[in-house]
Amino acid sequence: MLIDGHGRAVNYLRISVTERCNFRCQYCMPEKPFSWVPKENLLSFEELFLFVKVAIDGGVTKIRITGGEPLLREDLDSFIKMINDYKSGLDLALTTNAYLLPQAAQKLKDAGLKRLNISLDSLKEDVSAKIAGKNVLKEVLAGIDKALEVGLKVKINMVPLKGVNDDEILDVLDYCKGKDIKVRFIEYMENAHADQALKGMHGKEILEKVKERYTIKALGREGASPSFNYVLDDGTEFGLIDPHKHDFCENCNRIRLTAEGNLIPCLYFDEALSIAEAVKKGDVEGAAQVLAEVLKDKPKENRWSEDEFEDRELSKRAFYETGG
Ligand code: SAM
Ligand code: SF4
């Protein structure tokens, strides 16, 4: 089992396979970055897989592929198959904006993918275009339907933003209810790369919106998940991810790997150590050592907390680099 410096068991690895994206979400990558990581600096799937094996052998049981937009990386299904063939029974998931999912869903399912988290911030064409920087709604909705059709489990992620899509919280909840899928509302996490004019909604405000139509009951956190779950009277469940609270840091079970091999202990902070040199040499021991160091120094908690809200520095971590 992998244990960090604060005694927390770490069994969840998130891998960002590319920082590139076909969307320009205002809260993540409103502009094309000044420069992309050069292609030659990206780790190959074989190099990433060497680290994945170290992590699985150490006790990782849950792996999520993310990005940027992971479906932009060619032959992603072959990487998923490598992982699935190495150890069956893993919780193998992907986070995607779903734009390319109509073509990709069946291949991903055949490769062994179990679950998908899909970002859906609006059901209105103009609003989703405003958030993503281009017309995306038709493809995204087709992607969700295709994923369900091929038998992948789907969850929806929505980031409610004041004056942008805050009037659609109930519509997205009802859309998910109609398809029997769970939505998780994510509090906007301020960061230096986002459009600085954005104002996120606080978890309490999101719940107030839901209560305008439904009676809700709190269920609690699902294991180490950052999502706090609620249930409507008819049994429909939804989640709230509220990073401005510290209580999920107590049980944080995750580490993040970027496409160029930086191993990141916490989404908020800049700290990371690189596994690139080790995996390029095929040095399993070296990769395991980097992992041990990152676990030892994993921060106790993020700094999105409300108390420090006024005077803290904005997180410089780009979500498109870490994968969220
Ligand atoms: N491109 C994929 C997607 O959008 O689903 C995967 C990568 S994206 C960085 C992963 C998740 O991070 C998405 O659900 C997105 O909504 C979320 N995210 C990005 N920036 C965020 C921010 N500033 N605050 C809260 N969530 C954010
Ligand atoms: Fe791309 Fe996802 Fe970031 Fe939107 S949230 S810009 S889809 S990486």
Side-chain angles (χ1 to χ4, degrees), residues 188-191 244 268 302-315:
Y188 166 58
M189 290 170 242
E190 305 77 13
N191 67 91
H244 297 87
Y268 185 92
N302 71 49
R303 293 200 67 217
W304 274 294
S305 95
E306 289 155 292
D307 301 347
E308 293 155 12
F309 198 80
E310 294 305 328
D311 62 343
R312 78 192 147 79
E313 243 186 80
L314 269 186
S315 169

Side-chain angles (χ1 to χ4, degrees), residues 1-3 10-13 15 45-63 79 82-83 86-87 90 255 257 263 275-276 278-295:
M1 193 186 284
L2 301 172
I3 305 286
V10 171
N11 64 358
Y12 181 12
L13 172 65
I15 309 170
F45 285 145
E46 286 70 25
E47 289 160 349
L48 288 171
F49 184 52
L50 184 140
F51 181 76
V52 168
K53 287 189 283 186
V54 168
I56 292 175
D57 294 348
V60 161
T61 55
K62 178 173 177 180
I63 296 178
F79 182 48
M82 279 180 200
I83 301 173
Y86 185 67
K87 184 155 186 184
L90 288 174
I255 44 170
L257 181 63
L263 197 56
I275 58 151
V279 297
K280 281 182 184 173
K281 287 193 297 201
D283 176 4
V284 173
E285 272 301 305
Q289 241 167 34
V290 176
L291 173 58
E293 271 180 62
V294 165
L295 288 174

Side-chain angles (χ1 to χ4, degrees), residues 27-28 66-69 95-96 119 157 159 187-189 191 319 323:
Y27 50 72
C28 179
T66 174
E69 176 44 43
T95 303
T96 172
S119 302
N157 289 338
V159 180
E187 279 182 358
Y188 166 58
M189 290 170 242
N191 67 91
F319 275 74

